[in-house]
Amino acid sequence: MDTLEIGTAAADSTPRPQSGPASYAMLINGEWVGASDGGTRTITDPGNGDVLATVPEATAEDVDRAVAAARKAFDEGTWKADDNAQNRAKLLLALAASIRENAARLAELDTRNNGKPLAEAEADVSDSAACFEYYAGLATKVMGETVPVPMNMLSMVVREPVGVAAQIIPWNYPLMMAAWKLAPALAAGCTVVLKPSELTPLSALELGRLITSLDFPPGVVNIVTGAGEVAGAALSAHPDVDKIAFTGGTDTGSLIMQAAARNIKRVTLELGGKNPVVVFADADLTNAAEWVAFAAFANQGEVCSAGSRLLVERSVHDEFVGRVADIARSIKLGHGLAADVRMGPLVSAEHREKVESYIEIGKAEGATLLTGGKRPEGETFAQGNFVEPTIFTDVTPDMKIAREEIFGPVLAVIPFDTEEEAVRLANDTEYGLAAGVFTRDISRGHRVIRQIRAGITWINNYHPTFNELPWGGYKKSGIGRELGKYGIDAYLETKQINVYLDEAPLGWYVS
Ligand code: NDP
């Protein structure tokens, strides 16, 4: 397989690859293969429109082959065995080390393919390596228990891998989402078919290269590239897949759950959010303003946990929103590889149109456009999918921009007068992924956060994410949790074993 030769970023220029597009294959049963019908897809850089690579466009037949390889590796191989746990741990540690050795290359690749600023991509790569390290540790700590029961029985509970896991990931954190999916599944002893987003498959394929350079048995990790409607749908409906793990939009999550229902696959879903950030008047407004901007605009706002609804106590509304707007206006936009850039392009032209359509809806609904709302001007931005950091004030809770996930750099601000009103507004959403509260009154911070129905919460900060802690949402934001010890649970079945220690007969039929 060719790999992309990545050029060096010149400060403030729009960096370009040194060589032409690379041609990638996909990973099935330990081999790099093309699509069964020879189909390919072109992958581009959203910051300048450059063609980066071509990748195979998997057919349903390719998905069948990948699932068959994973099935065979699970059913007939030794990967899942208890006495292979130490080996799984060693391989995951080796993979983490290999990611760290290739960190610069992987970060540059994610920036080129997704658009995110290089500093964010570097953090993603480091977190990805740490995720494999964390689950390497857990691989040897999957434990059961013995339970006292009547009848002189030795009763045990053991945990076993769920089987073949299909994993479908989005485009906003291409490498990190692959790590969040693969690491717990492999630690548990599952075998895997991973499908990256059709927009951002390159770092997952490079991760596959690192995997094939280690001693993972063929078929344990398979990576298919292609369209959600074809490869993703085939995976979700496949009768030989035991579990499906998905991160992406809520509508797609619903489709996947419906497909999974046909053979009662285990399902975990990490879906969207319209996450509230509550700022009380007594907060440290200087620090809070930067966190709030980070909540809304990090990764171009293309984050399921983005703090996209700002609820501000009315007495400090104008002052606080002014501070956040000043920060928004100071954010340097550009190609993610250019120096000092803090916001890159959106992932695709199509996605930018979606975000821009929400900006138009916001204006039409009567919200006030405080800052942003348009494409930045200038030659640097001409070929990329850029949108300025955008803040709407005078937003009411019924407006679409207050209710729907925009998944871009658009912040909707709503004032409140009382703590009760803040809680009610925070919970006035069909989602329940994340939330933040800013106050110097720690009792109130705790009281408010406990009343907000969301799975990931922060007090006096926003966004720090740890491999050690559970990630997932309430309500329409998903089912189940990734990361932490909860993440490996999602890949384990629970079995009871009862050993009869008595010599007395059953005495039910025979007296
Ligand atoms: P999707 O939910 O469509 O994509 C996520 C993954 O699902 C991709 O790998 C996609 O493949 C795949 N997929 C798409 N359709 C199907 C299907 N029918 N069956 C199985 N898999 C499928 O997200 P989009 O990229 O289209 O973004 C749409 C919206 O979803 C965003 O605007 C945002 O609101 C939300 N989103 C949320 C994310 C999160 O982290 N919670 C991440 C990404 C998006 P393919 O790439 O080929 O379409």
Side-chain angles (χ1 to χ4, degrees), residues 168-172 195-199 226-229 232-233 236 246-249 252 255-256 270-272 304 351 354 405-407:
I168 300 177
I169 57 173
W171 41 258
N172 54 343
K195 192 204 89 66
S197 163
E198 65 186 38
L199 297 173
E229 294 77 15
S236 324
F246 170 77
T247 299
T252 316
L255 286 177
I256 284 174
E270 303 295 332
L271 307 176
C304 51
H351 187 57
K354 179 186 157 187
E405 184 180 47
I406 300 174
F407 223 67

PDB file of all heavy atoms in Angstrom, residues 168-172 195-199 226-229 232-233 236 246-249 252 255-256 270-272 304 351 354 405-407, ligand 1:
ATOM      1  N   ILE A 168     -18.678   1.548  13.591  1.00  0.00           N
ATOM      2  CA  ILE A 168     -18.890   2.567  12.557  1.00  0.00           C
ATOM      3  C   ILE A 168     -18.606   3.931  13.168  1.00  0.00           C
ATOM      4  O   ILE A 168     -19.210   4.296  14.186  1.00  0.00           O
ATOM      5  CB  ILE A 168     -20.337   2.498  12.020  1.00  0.00           C
ATOM      6  CG1 ILE A 168     -20.588   1.115  11.420  1.00  0.00           C
ATOM      7  CG2 ILE A 168     -20.582   3.592  10.983  1.00  0.00           C
ATOM      8  CD1 ILE A 168     -22.002   0.888  10.912  1.00  0.00           C
ATOM      9  N   ILE A 169     -17.667   4.664  12.568  1.00  0.00           N
ATOM     10  CA  ILE A 169     -17.197   5.900  13.216  1.00  0.00           C
ATOM     11  C   ILE A 169     -17.361   7.112  12.292  1.00  0.00           C
ATOM     12  O   ILE A 169     -17.418   6.979  11.077  1.00  0.00           O
ATOM     13  CB  ILE A 169     -15.733   5.761  13.700  1.00  0.00           C
ATOM     14  CG1 ILE A 169     -14.789   5.393  12.546  1.00  0.00           C
ATOM     15  CG2 ILE A 169     -15.643   4.737  14.819  1.00  0.00           C
ATOM     16  CD1 ILE A 169     -13.317   5.412  12.933  1.00  0.00           C
ATOM     17  N   PRO A 170     -17.409   8.302  12.899  1.00  0.00           N
ATOM     18  CA  PRO A 170     -17.635   9.532  12.135  1.00  0.00           C
ATOM     19  C   PRO A 170     -16.324  10.206  11.725  1.00  0.00           C
ATOM     20  O   PRO A 170     -15.238   9.673  11.960  1.00  0.00           O
ATOM     21  CB  PRO A 170     -18.394  10.392  13.138  1.00  0.00           C
ATOM     22  CG  PRO A 170     -17.772  10.027  14.442  1.00  0.00           C
ATOM     23  CD  PRO A 170     -17.401   8.567  14.352  1.00  0.00           C
ATOM     24  N   TRP A 171     -16.476  11.408  11.190  1.00  0.00           N
ATOM     25  CA  TRP A 171     -15.331  12.104  10.591  1.00  0.00           C
ATOM     26  C   TRP A 171     -14.697  13.149  11.502  1.00  0.00           C
ATOM     27  O   TRP A 171     -13.688  13.737  11.151  1.00  0.00           O
ATOM     28  CB  TRP A 171     -15.771  12.790   9.291  1.00  0.00           C
ATOM     29  CG  TRP A 171     -17.123  13.457   9.353  1.00  0.00           C
ATOM     30  CD1 TRP A 171     -18.291  12.954   8.842  1.00  0.00           C
ATOM     31  CD2 TRP A 171     -17.455  14.709   9.948  1.00  0.00           C
ATOM     32  NE1 TRP A 171     -19.340  13.829   9.088  1.00  0.00           N
ATOM     33  CE2 TRP A 171     -18.853  14.914   9.762  1.00  0.00           C
ATOM     34  CE3 TRP A 171     -16.722  15.700  10.620  1.00  0.00           C
ATOM     35  CZ2 TRP A 171     -19.523  16.049  10.221  1.00  0.00           C
ATOM     36  CZ3 TRP A 171     -17.386  16.830  11.086  1.00  0.00           C
ATOM     37  CH2 TRP A 171     -18.773  16.991  10.872  1.00  0.00           C
ATOM     38  N   ASN A 172     -15.285  13.415  12.670  1.00  0.00           N
ATOM     39  CA  ASN A 172     -14.798  14.573  13.430  1.00  0.00           C
ATOM     40  C   ASN A 172     -13.530  14.300  14.245  1.00  0.00           C
ATOM     41  O   ASN A 172     -12.768  15.207  14.519  1.00  0.00           O
ATOM     42  CB  ASN A 172     -15.916  15.165  14.312  1.00  0.00           C
ATOM     43  CG  ASN A 172     -16.554  14.151  15.222  1.00  0.00           C
ATOM     44  OD1 ASN A 172     -16.416  12.944  15.027  1.00  0.00           O
ATOM     45  ND2 ASN A 172     -17.265  14.628  16.228  1.00  0.00           N
ATOM     46  N   LYS A 195     -15.512   0.509  10.248  1.00  0.00           N
ATOM     47  CA  LYS A 195     -15.775   1.326   9.051  1.00  0.00           C
ATOM     48  C   LYS A 195     -15.630   2.809   9.400  1.00  0.00           C
ATOM     49  O   LYS A 195     -16.459   3.390  10.082  1.00  0.00           O
ATOM     50  CB  LYS A 195     -17.184   1.093   8.488  1.00  0.00           C
ATOM     51  CG  LYS A 195     -17.300   1.720   7.100  1.00  0.00           C
ATOM     52  CD  LYS A 195     -18.699   2.071   6.684  1.00  0.00           C
ATOM     53  CE  LYS A 195     -19.153   3.454   7.064  1.00  0.00           C
ATOM     54  NZ  LYS A 195     -18.451   4.586   6.420  1.00  0.00           N
ATOM     55  N   PRO A 196     -14.552   3.430   8.897  1.00  0.00           N
ATOM     56  CA  PRO A 196     -14.412   4.868   9.115  1.00  0.00           C
ATOM     57  C   PRO A 196     -15.390   5.641   8.255  1.00  0.00           C
ATOM     58  O   PRO A 196     -16.005   5.081   7.337  1.00  0.00           O
ATOM     59  CB  PRO A 196     -12.973   5.161   8.670  1.00  0.00           C
ATOM     60  CG  PRO A 196     -12.413   3.904   8.119  1.00  0.00           C
ATOM     61  CD  PRO A 196     -13.465   2.855   8.103  1.00  0.00           C
ATOM     62  N   SER A 197     -15.513   6.939   8.514  1.00  0.00           N
ATOM     63  CA  SER A 197     -16.344   7.799   7.666  1.00  0.00           C
ATOM     64  C   SER A 197     -15.792   7.803   6.244  1.00  0.00           C
ATOM     65  O   SER A 197     -14.577   7.779   6.034  1.00  0.00           O
ATOM     66  CB  SER A 197     -16.349   9.222   8.220  1.00  0.00           C
ATOM     67  OG  SER A 197     -16.805  10.114   7.228  1.00  0.00           O
ATOM     68  N   GLU A 198     -16.698   7.902   5.288  1.00  0.00           N
ATOM     69  CA  GLU A 198     -16.258   7.961   3.891  1.00  0.00           C
ATOM     70  C   GLU A 198     -15.411   9.209   3.624  1.00  0.00           C
ATOM     71  O   GLU A 198     -14.642   9.247   2.673  1.00  0.00           O
ATOM     72  CB  GLU A 198     -17.482   7.971   2.968  1.00  0.00           C
ATOM     73  CG  GLU A 198     -18.353   9.209   3.106  1.00  0.00           C
ATOM     74  CD  GLU A 198     -19.637   9.142   2.286  1.00  0.00           C
ATOM     75  OE1 GLU A 198     -20.235   8.056   2.201  1.00  0.00           O
ATOM     76  OE2 GLU A 198     -20.016  10.179   1.724  1.00  0.00           O
ATOM     77  N   LEU A 199     -15.532  10.233   4.501  1.00  0.00           N
ATOM     78  CA  LEU A 199     -14.780  11.470   4.287  1.00  0.00           C
ATOM     79  C   LEU A 199     -13.357  11.387   4.839  1.00  0.00           C
ATOM     80  O   LEU A 199     -12.454  12.045   4.337  1.00  0.00           O
ATOM     81  CB  LEU A 199     -15.504  12.651   4.951  1.00  0.00           C
ATOM     82  CG  LEU A 199     -16.889  12.999   4.418  1.00  0.00           C
ATOM     83  CD1 LEU A 199     -17.542  14.061   5.292  1.00  0.00           C
ATOM     84  CD2 LEU A 199     -16.801  13.475   2.972  1.00  0.00           C
ATOM     85  N   GLY A 226     -15.817   2.945   2.776  1.00  0.00           N
ATOM     86  CA  GLY A 226     -16.920   3.068   1.821  1.00  0.00           C
ATOM     87  C   GLY A 226     -18.077   3.823   2.425  1.00  0.00           C
ATOM     88  O   GLY A 226     -17.980   4.394   3.514  1.00  0.00           O
ATOM     89  N   ALA A 227     -19.175   3.799   1.715  1.00  0.00           N
ATOM     90  CA  ALA A 227     -20.329   4.629   2.080  1.00  0.00           C
ATOM     91  C   ALA A 227     -21.140   4.016   3.214  1.00  0.00           C
ATOM     92  O   ALA A 227     -21.306   2.797   3.288  1.00  0.00           O
ATOM     93  CB  ALA A 227     -21.220   4.816   0.865  1.00  0.00           C
ATOM     94  N   GLY A 228     -21.675   4.883   4.058  1.00  0.00           N
ATOM     95  CA  GLY A 228     -22.529   4.427   5.145  1.00  0.00           C
ATOM     96  C   GLY A 228     -23.731   3.654   4.647  1.00  0.00           C
ATOM     97  O   GLY A 228     -24.102   2.613   5.209  1.00  0.00           O
ATOM     98  N   GLU A 229     -24.338   4.158   3.578  1.00  0.00           N
ATOM     99  CA  GLU A 229     -25.571   3.527   3.074  1.00  0.00           C
ATOM    100  C   GLU A 229     -25.309   2.126   2.534  1.00  0.00           C
ATOM    101  O   GLU A 229     -26.231   1.317   2.426  1.00  0.00           O
ATOM    102  CB  GLU A 229     -26.218   4.366   1.968  1.00  0.00           C
ATOM    103  CG  GLU A 229     -26.755   5.708   2.395  1.00  0.00           C
ATOM    104  CD  GLU A 229     -25.649   6.743   2.585  1.00  0.00           C
ATOM    105  OE1 GLU A 229     -24.513   6.504   2.114  1.00  0.00           O
ATOM    106  OE2 GLU A 229     -25.920   7.766   3.239  1.00  0.00           O
ATOM    107  N   GLY A 232     -21.844   0.555   5.699  1.00  0.00           N
ATOM    108  CA  GLY A 232     -22.357   0.705   7.066  1.00  0.00           C
ATOM    109  C   GLY A 232     -23.655  -0.056   7.257  1.00  0.00           C
ATOM    110  O   GLY A 232     -23.853  -0.755   8.258  1.00  0.00           O
ATOM    111  N   ALA A 233     -24.544   0.087   6.253  1.00  0.00           N
ATOM    112  CA  ALA A 233     -25.843  -0.599   6.357  1.00  0.00           C
ATOM    113  C   ALA A 233     -25.648  -2.115   6.326  1.00  0.00           C
ATOM    114  O   ALA A 233     -26.317  -2.853   7.066  1.00  0.00           O
ATOM    115  CB  ALA A 233     -26.754  -0.141   5.225  1.00  0.00           C
ATOM    116  N   SER A 236     -24.470  -3.215   9.714  1.00  0.00           N
ATOM    117  CA  SER A 236     -25.498  -3.128  10.770  1.00  0.00           C
ATOM    118  C   SER A 236     -26.494  -4.267  10.676  1.00  0.00           C
ATOM    119  O   SER A 236     -27.074  -4.675  11.682  1.00  0.00           O
ATOM    120  CB  SER A 236     -26.284  -1.830  10.682  1.00  0.00           C
ATOM    121  OG  SER A 236     -25.487  -0.786  10.294  1.00  0.00           O
ATOM    122  N   PHE A 246     -21.495   2.398  17.419  1.00  0.00           N
ATOM    123  CA  PHE A 246     -21.640   3.474  16.439  1.00  0.00           C
ATOM    124  C   PHE A 246     -21.451   4.825  17.098  1.00  0.00           C
ATOM    125  O   PHE A 246     -21.957   5.073  18.196  1.00  0.00           O
ATOM    126  CB  PHE A 246     -23.045   3.404  15.818  1.00  0.00           C
ATOM    127  CG  PHE A 246     -23.397   4.602  14.976  1.00  0.00           C
ATOM    128  CD1 PHE A 246     -22.887   4.742  13.689  1.00  0.00           C
ATOM    129  CD2 PHE A 246     -24.232   5.601  15.464  1.00  0.00           C
ATOM    130  CE1 PHE A 246     -23.201   5.856  12.912  1.00  0.00           C
ATOM    131  CE2 PHE A 246     -24.555   6.719  14.688  1.00  0.00           C
ATOM    132  CZ  PHE A 246     -24.038   6.837  13.412  1.00  0.00           C
ATOM    133  N   THR A 247     -20.748   5.714  16.424  1.00  0.00           N
ATOM    134  CA  THR A 247     -20.733   7.127  16.799  1.00  0.00           C
ATOM    135  C   THR A 247     -21.109   7.932  15.567  1.00  0.00           C
ATOM    136  O   THR A 247     -20.548   7.719  14.490  1.00  0.00           O
ATOM    137  CB  THR A 247     -19.337   7.569  17.290  1.00  0.00           C
ATOM    138  OG1 THR A 247     -18.995   6.802  18.440  1.00  0.00           O
ATOM    139  CG2 THR A 247     -19.335   9.042  17.668  1.00  0.00           C
ATOM    140  N   GLY A 248     -22.051   8.843  15.732  1.00  0.00           N
ATOM    141  CA  GLY A 248     -22.469   9.673  14.601  1.00  0.00           C
ATOM    142  C   GLY A 248     -23.775  10.360  14.898  1.00  0.00           C
ATOM    143  O   GLY A 248     -24.129  10.578  16.063  1.00  0.00           O
ATOM    144  N   GLY A 249     -24.499  10.675  13.833  1.00  0.00           N
ATOM    145  CA  GLY A 249     -25.743  11.417  13.976  1.00  0.00           C
ATOM    146  C   GLY A 249     -26.868  10.568  14.571  1.00  0.00           C
ATOM    147  O   GLY A 249     -26.887   9.349  14.424  1.00  0.00           O
ATOM    148  N   THR A 252     -28.944   8.502  11.976  1.00  0.00           N
ATOM    149  CA  THR A 252     -28.238   7.291  11.551  1.00  0.00           C
ATOM    150  C   THR A 252     -28.250   6.264  12.672  1.00  0.00           C
ATOM    151  O   THR A 252     -28.427   5.065  12.428  1.00  0.00           O
ATOM    152  CB  THR A 252     -26.779   7.619  11.146  1.00  0.00           C
ATOM    153  OG1 THR A 252     -26.774   8.786  10.345  1.00  0.00           O
ATOM    154  CG2 THR A 252     -26.152   6.469  10.387  1.00  0.00           C
ATOM    155  N   LEU A 255     -31.365   4.348  12.582  1.00  0.00           N
ATOM    156  CA  LEU A 255     -31.380   3.350  11.497  1.00  0.00           C
ATOM    157  C   LEU A 255     -30.578   2.105  11.886  1.00  0.00           C
ATOM    158  O   LEU A 255     -30.981   0.967  11.640  1.00  0.00           O
ATOM    159  CB  LEU A 255     -30.733   3.931  10.224  1.00  0.00           C
ATOM    160  CG  LEU A 255     -31.534   4.948   9.422  1.00  0.00           C
ATOM    161  CD1 LEU A 255     -30.692   5.458   8.260  1.00  0.00           C
ATOM    162  CD2 LEU A 255     -32.823   4.293   8.912  1.00  0.00           C
ATOM    163  N   ILE A 256     -29.431   2.359  12.518  1.00  0.00           N
ATOM    164  CA  ILE A 256     -28.553   1.253  12.904  1.00  0.00           C
ATOM    165  C   ILE A 256     -29.227   0.376  13.960  1.00  0.00           C
ATOM    166  O   ILE A 256     -29.177  -0.858  13.896  1.00  0.00           O
ATOM    167  CB  ILE A 256     -27.201   1.810  13.385  1.00  0.00           C
ATOM    168  CG1 ILE A 256     -26.408   2.230  12.135  1.00  0.00           C
ATOM    169  CG2 ILE A 256     -26.421   0.805  14.225  1.00  0.00           C
ATOM    170  CD1 ILE A 256     -25.133   2.928  12.397  1.00  0.00           C
ATOM    171  N   GLU A 270     -23.250   6.353  20.345  1.00  0.00           N
ATOM    172  CA  GLU A 270     -22.808   7.662  20.836  1.00  0.00           C
ATOM    173  C   GLU A 270     -23.292   8.677  19.817  1.00  0.00           C
ATOM    174  O   GLU A 270     -22.754   8.761  18.712  1.00  0.00           O
ATOM    175  CB  GLU A 270     -21.280   7.709  20.930  1.00  0.00           C
ATOM    176  CG  GLU A 270     -20.670   6.644  21.804  1.00  0.00           C
ATOM    177  CD  GLU A 270     -21.049   6.786  23.255  1.00  0.00           C
ATOM    178  OE1 GLU A 270     -21.326   7.921  23.696  1.00  0.00           O
ATOM    179  OE2 GLU A 270     -21.093   5.759  23.949  1.00  0.00           O
ATOM    180  N   LEU A 271     -24.294   9.467  20.172  1.00  0.00           N
ATOM    181  CA  LEU A 271     -24.976  10.281  19.164  1.00  0.00           C
ATOM    182  C   LEU A 271     -24.786  11.782  19.434  1.00  0.00           C
ATOM    183  O   LEU A 271     -23.807  12.174  20.033  1.00  0.00           O
ATOM    184  CB  LEU A 271     -26.451   9.878  19.124  1.00  0.00           C
ATOM    185  CG  LEU A 271     -26.665   8.366  18.944  1.00  0.00           C
ATOM    186  CD1 LEU A 271     -28.138   8.005  19.005  1.00  0.00           C
ATOM    187  CD2 LEU A 271     -26.048   7.860  17.637  1.00  0.00           C
ATOM    188  N   GLY A 272     -25.716  12.557  18.985  1.00  0.00           N
ATOM    189  CA  GLY A 272     -25.521  14.003  19.008  1.00  0.00           C
ATOM    190  C   GLY A 272     -25.837  14.649  20.342  1.00  0.00           C
ATOM    191  O   GLY A 272     -26.177  13.983  21.323  1.00  0.00           O
ATOM    192  N   CYS A 304     -19.599  16.258  19.186  1.00  0.00           N
ATOM    193  CA  CYS A 304     -20.903  15.878  19.734  1.00  0.00           C
ATOM    194  C   CYS A 304     -21.146  16.546  21.081  1.00  0.00           C
ATOM    195  O   CYS A 304     -22.273  16.874  21.429  1.00  0.00           O
ATOM    196  CB  CYS A 304     -21.010  14.366  19.848  1.00  0.00           C
ATOM    197  SG  CYS A 304     -19.629  13.614  20.705  1.00  0.00           S
ATOM    198  N   HIS A 351     -21.222  19.834   4.287  1.00  0.00           N
ATOM    199  CA  HIS A 351     -21.458  20.127   5.701  1.00  0.00           C
ATOM    200  C   HIS A 351     -21.475  21.633   5.941  1.00  0.00           C
ATOM    201  O   HIS A 351     -22.283  22.136   6.732  1.00  0.00           O
ATOM    202  CB  HIS A 351     -20.417  19.430   6.574  1.00  0.00           C
ATOM    203  CG  HIS A 351     -20.713  19.571   8.036  1.00  0.00           C
ATOM    204  ND1 HIS A 351     -21.902  19.159   8.591  1.00  0.00           N
ATOM    205  CD2 HIS A 351     -20.006  20.121   9.053  1.00  0.00           C
ATOM    206  CE1 HIS A 351     -21.913  19.436   9.885  1.00  0.00           C
ATOM    207  NE2 HIS A 351     -20.772  20.026  10.186  1.00  0.00           N
ATOM    208  N   LYS A 354     -24.779  22.929   5.211  1.00  0.00           N
ATOM    209  CA  LYS A 354     -25.739  22.628   6.283  1.00  0.00           C
ATOM    210  C   LYS A 354     -25.599  23.656   7.418  1.00  0.00           C
ATOM    211  O   LYS A 354     -26.591  24.198   7.903  1.00  0.00           O
ATOM    212  CB  LYS A 354     -25.492  21.209   6.806  1.00  0.00           C
ATOM    213  CG  LYS A 354     -26.432  20.817   7.929  1.00  0.00           C
ATOM    214  CD  LYS A 354     -26.071  19.468   8.540  1.00  0.00           C
ATOM    215  CE  LYS A 354     -26.640  19.399   9.955  1.00  0.00           C
ATOM    216  NZ  LYS A 354     -26.236  18.225  10.695  1.00  0.00           N
ATOM    217  N   GLU A 405     -28.974  20.064  16.503  1.00  0.00           N
ATOM    218  CA  GLU A 405     -27.515  20.003  16.499  1.00  0.00           C
ATOM    219  C   GLU A 405     -26.999  20.554  15.177  1.00  0.00           C
ATOM    220  O   GLU A 405     -27.306  20.017  14.113  1.00  0.00           O
ATOM    221  CB  GLU A 405     -27.051  18.547  16.670  1.00  0.00           C
ATOM    222  CG  GLU A 405     -25.549  18.434  16.771  1.00  0.00           C
ATOM    223  CD  GLU A 405     -25.078  16.998  16.951  1.00  0.00           C
ATOM    224  OE1 GLU A 405     -25.549  16.127  16.205  1.00  0.00           O
ATOM    225  OE2 GLU A 405     -24.232  16.761  17.823  1.00  0.00           O
ATOM    226  N   ILE A 406     -26.218  21.627  15.248  1.00  0.00           N
ATOM    227  CA  ILE A 406     -25.705  22.250  14.018  1.00  0.00           C
ATOM    228  C   ILE A 406     -24.373  21.624  13.634  1.00  0.00           C
ATOM    229  O   ILE A 406     -24.049  21.469  12.468  1.00  0.00           O
ATOM    230  CB  ILE A 406     -25.587  23.781  14.215  1.00  0.00           C
ATOM    231  CG1 ILE A 406     -26.980  24.350  14.531  1.00  0.00           C
ATOM    232  CG2 ILE A 406     -24.970  24.437  12.988  1.00  0.00           C
ATOM    233  CD1 ILE A 406     -26.998  25.824  14.899  1.00  0.00           C
ATOM    234  N   PHE A 407     -23.586  21.238  14.617  1.00  0.00           N
ATOM    235  CA  PHE A 407     -22.303  20.572  14.398  1.00  0.00           C
ATOM    236  C   PHE A 407     -21.332  21.469  13.640  1.00  0.00           C
ATOM    237  O   PHE A 407     -20.620  21.051  12.729  1.00  0.00           O
ATOM    238  CB  PHE A 407     -22.502  19.244  13.654  1.00  0.00           C
ATOM    239  CG  PHE A 407     -21.666  18.127  14.226  1.00  0.00           C
ATOM    240  CD1 PHE A 407     -21.915  17.637  15.492  1.00  0.00           C
ATOM    241  CD2 PHE A 407     -20.630  17.556  13.502  1.00  0.00           C
ATOM    242  CE1 PHE A 407     -21.146  16.614  16.031  1.00  0.00           C
ATOM    243  CE2 PHE A 407     -19.849  16.534  14.025  1.00  0.00           C
ATOM    244  CZ  PHE A 407     -20.123  16.070  15.297  1.00  0.00           C
TER     245      PHE A 407
HETATM  246  P1  NDP B   1     -23.485   9.989  10.058  1.00  0.00           P
HETATM  247  O1  NDP B   1     -24.185   9.636  11.287  1.00  0.00           O
HETATM  248  O2  NDP B   1     -24.188   9.841   8.778  1.00  0.00           O
HETATM  249  O3  NDP B   1     -22.083   9.225   9.916  1.00  0.00           O
HETATM  250  C1  NDP B   1     -21.423   8.499  10.919  1.00  0.00           C
HETATM  251  C2  NDP B   1     -20.985   7.148  10.372  1.00  0.00           C
HETATM  252  O4  NDP B   1     -22.135   6.381  10.035  1.00  0.00           O
HETATM  253  C3  NDP B   1     -20.163   7.248   9.100  1.00  0.00           C
HETATM  254  O5  NDP B   1     -19.197   6.229   9.068  1.00  0.00           O
HETATM  255  C4  NDP B   1     -21.226   7.017   8.051  1.00  0.00           C
HETATM  256  O6  NDP B   1     -20.708   6.612   6.828  1.00  0.00           O
HETATM  257  C5  NDP B   1     -22.047   5.938   8.699  1.00  0.00           C
HETATM  258  N1  NDP B   1     -23.378   5.781   8.131  1.00  0.00           N
HETATM  259  C6  NDP B   1     -24.110   6.679   7.427  1.00  0.00           C
HETATM  260  N2  NDP B   1     -25.301   6.146   7.075  1.00  0.00           N
HETATM  261  C7  NDP B   1     -25.316   4.891   7.556  1.00  0.00           C
HETATM  262  C8  NDP B   1     -26.273   3.829   7.520  1.00  0.00           C
HETATM  263  N3  NDP B   1     -27.450   3.972   6.920  1.00  0.00           N
HETATM  264  N4  NDP B   1     -25.967   2.672   8.117  1.00  0.00           N
HETATM  265  C9  NDP B   1     -24.783   2.519   8.751  1.00  0.00           C
HETATM  266  N5  NDP B   1     -23.833   3.473   8.801  1.00  0.00           N
HETATM  267  C10 NDP B   1     -24.097   4.647   8.226  1.00  0.00           C
HETATM  268  O7  NDP B   1     -22.984  11.456  10.200  1.00  0.00           O
HETATM  269  P2  NDP B   1     -22.744  12.498   9.022  1.00  0.00           P
HETATM  270  O8  NDP B   1     -21.340  12.473   8.689  1.00  0.00           O
HETATM  271  O9  NDP B   1     -23.667  12.345   7.864  1.00  0.00           O
HETATM  272  O10 NDP B   1     -23.147  13.793   9.793  1.00  0.00           O
HETATM  273  C11 NDP B   1     -24.540  14.086   9.957  1.00  0.00           C
HETATM  274  C12 NDP B   1     -24.763  14.733  11.273  1.00  0.00           C
HETATM  275  O11 NDP B   1     -24.536  13.797  12.312  1.00  0.00           O
HETATM  276  C13 NDP B   1     -23.793  15.864  11.586  1.00  0.00           C
HETATM  277  O12 NDP B   1     -24.149  17.040  10.980  1.00  0.00           O
HETATM  278  C14 NDP B   1     -23.880  15.892  13.060  1.00  0.00           C
HETATM  279  O13 NDP B   1     -25.033  16.587  13.451  1.00  0.00           O
HETATM  280  C15 NDP B   1     -24.013  14.437  13.421  1.00  0.00           C
HETATM  281  N6  NDP B   1     -22.729  13.823  13.775  1.00  0.00           N
HETATM  282  C16 NDP B   1     -22.505  13.523  15.076  1.00  0.00           C
HETATM  283  C17 NDP B   1     -21.314  12.982  15.452  1.00  0.00           C
HETATM  284  C18 NDP B   1     -21.035  12.638  16.861  1.00  0.00           C
HETATM  285  O14 NDP B   1     -19.885  12.496  17.239  1.00  0.00           O
HETATM  286  N7  NDP B   1     -22.049  12.457  17.683  1.00  0.00           N
HETATM  287  C19 NDP B   1     -20.232  12.738  14.505  1.00  0.00           C
HETATM  288  C20 NDP B   1     -20.584  13.024  13.145  1.00  0.00           C
HETATM  289  C21 NDP B   1     -21.781  13.561  12.823  1.00  0.00           C
HETATM  290  P3  NDP B   1     -20.405   7.747   5.727  1.00  0.00           P
HETATM  291  O15 NDP B   1     -19.277   8.542   6.244  1.00  0.00           O
HETATM  292  O16 NDP B   1     -20.085   6.981   4.542  1.00  0.00           O
HETATM  293  O17 NDP B   1     -21.678   8.552   5.584  1.00  0.00           O
END
